[in-house]
């Protein structure tokens, strides 16, 4: 596709439910990033993939958060046993491998935990 | 730990006026990005600043980077209503082959007719 695509756009989950958020990066982009954006805040880094390798997961807030990119393209962010504090917009971004190129962001998934 | 601070956090300005948004960061980096975000939308890339002294301009917006002062500015000239949005700066830390952007808290800009 022309841009980074994320689904679903909106997700309402009951506390304790597991959720899976999908990201389709721009075709050919090697690098993929997940960010969490709480209401009224700037995005915060969660994790980074280069192809299928997860090179940095230092931003994942707890072991309930898990991300994968098994074939180096589509990525899934999974949150187990969701809590209210997980409510946020989850943004995915992708870029070419060259560090001098910018990252392009998807429209995000707005997760609301009730 | 890298800290990125923007000021002001909120800015209301009249159409036709000029103003500057400031972005300070705490760790050496030579790469800084400016993004625009409209309500409910994703981040739109505005500028990529890749070296000390870099200056880029697009329409009524101009961004600059001073890596020695660890400061970037986004200057708005003769503001128009269409520029109302939240603006984020983000610093790129590239450590051990790993990339991550650290964002500022954002500046919510409202242009008043």
């Amino acid at each position: 596709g022309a841009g980074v695509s994320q689904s679903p756009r909106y997700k309402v989950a009951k506390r304790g439910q597991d959720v899976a958020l999908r990201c389709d990066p721009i075709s050919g982009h090697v690098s993929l990033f997940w960010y969490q954006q709480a209401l009224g805040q700037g995005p915060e880094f969660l994790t980074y993939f280069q192809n299928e390798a997860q090179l940095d997961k230092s931003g994942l807030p707890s072991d309930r958060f898990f991300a994968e990119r098994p074939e180096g393209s589509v990525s899934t962010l999974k949150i187990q046993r969701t809590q209210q504090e997980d409510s946020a917009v989850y943004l995915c971004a992708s870029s070419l491998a060259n560090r001098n190129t910018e990252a392009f962001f998807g429209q995000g998934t707005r997760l609301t935990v009730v | 730990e890298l800290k990125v601070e923007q000021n002001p956090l909120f800015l209301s300005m009249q159409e036709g006026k000029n103003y500057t948004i400031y972005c300070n960061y705490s760790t050496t980096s030579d790469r800084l990005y400016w993004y625009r975000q409209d309500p409910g939308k994703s981040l739109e890339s505005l500028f990529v600043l890749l070296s000390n002294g870099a200056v880029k301009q697009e329409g009524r917006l101009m961004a600059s980077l001073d890596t020695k002062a660890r400061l970037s500015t986004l200057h708005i000239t003769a503001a128009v209503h269409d520029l109302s949005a939240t603006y984020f700066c983000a610093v790129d830390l590239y450590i051990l082959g790993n990339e991550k952007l650290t964002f500022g808290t954002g500046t919510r800009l409202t242009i008043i007719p």
Side-chain angles (χ1 to χ4, degrees), chain B residues 52-90:
Chain B
N52 184 40
V55 178
K56 290 195 174 180
Q57 182 164 6
E58 180 74 33
R60 300 175 187 274
L61 300 178
M62 183 173 71
S64 66
L65 178 62
D66 181 342
T67 59
K68 294 180 181 178
R70 299 178 185 172
L71 170 69
S72 180
T73 60
L74 181 66
H75 187 73
I76 303 151
T77 303
V80 293
H81 180 69
D82 286 351
L83 293 179
S84 296
T86 299
Y87 293 85
F88 292 97
C89 63

Side-chain angles (χ1 to χ4, degrees), chain A residues 35 37 58 99-100 102 106, chain B residues 31 37 42 45 98 100-101:
Chain A
Y35 289 84
Q37 186 176 22
S58 62
R99 191 187 164 220
N100 288 326
E102 62 190 286
Chain B
R31 295 169 194 279
Q37 188 174 40
S42 189
S45 178
N98 296 346
K100 63 173 68 173
L101 292 179

Side-chain angles (χ1 to χ4, degrees), chain A residues 1-49:
Chain A
V4 179
S5 178
Q6 291 187 246
S7 61
R9 287 291 313 281
Y10 304 92
K11 176 70 179 177
V12 178
K14 291 185 178 178
R15 192 167 52 184
Q17 187 179 351
D18 296 350
V19 297
L21 313 180
R22 177 187 170 105
C23 173
D24 283 86
I26 294 172
S27 179
H29 278 196
V30 169
S31 298
L32 185 144
F33 309 82
W34 284 98
Y35 289 84
Q36 179 190 59
Q37 186 176 22
L39 189 64
Q41 303 293 317
E44 293 193 355
F45 173 84
L46 293 176
T47 187
Y48 161 58
F49 290 85

Side-chain angles (χ1 to χ4, degrees), chain A residues 15-17 64 79-87 113:
Chain A
R15 192 167 52 184
Q17 187 179 351
R64 296 186 294 104
I79 308 172
Q80 296 177 323
R81 305 181 302 282
T82 52
Q83 304 294 316
Q84 278 193 315
E85 62 262 28
D86 300 335
S87 295
V113 181

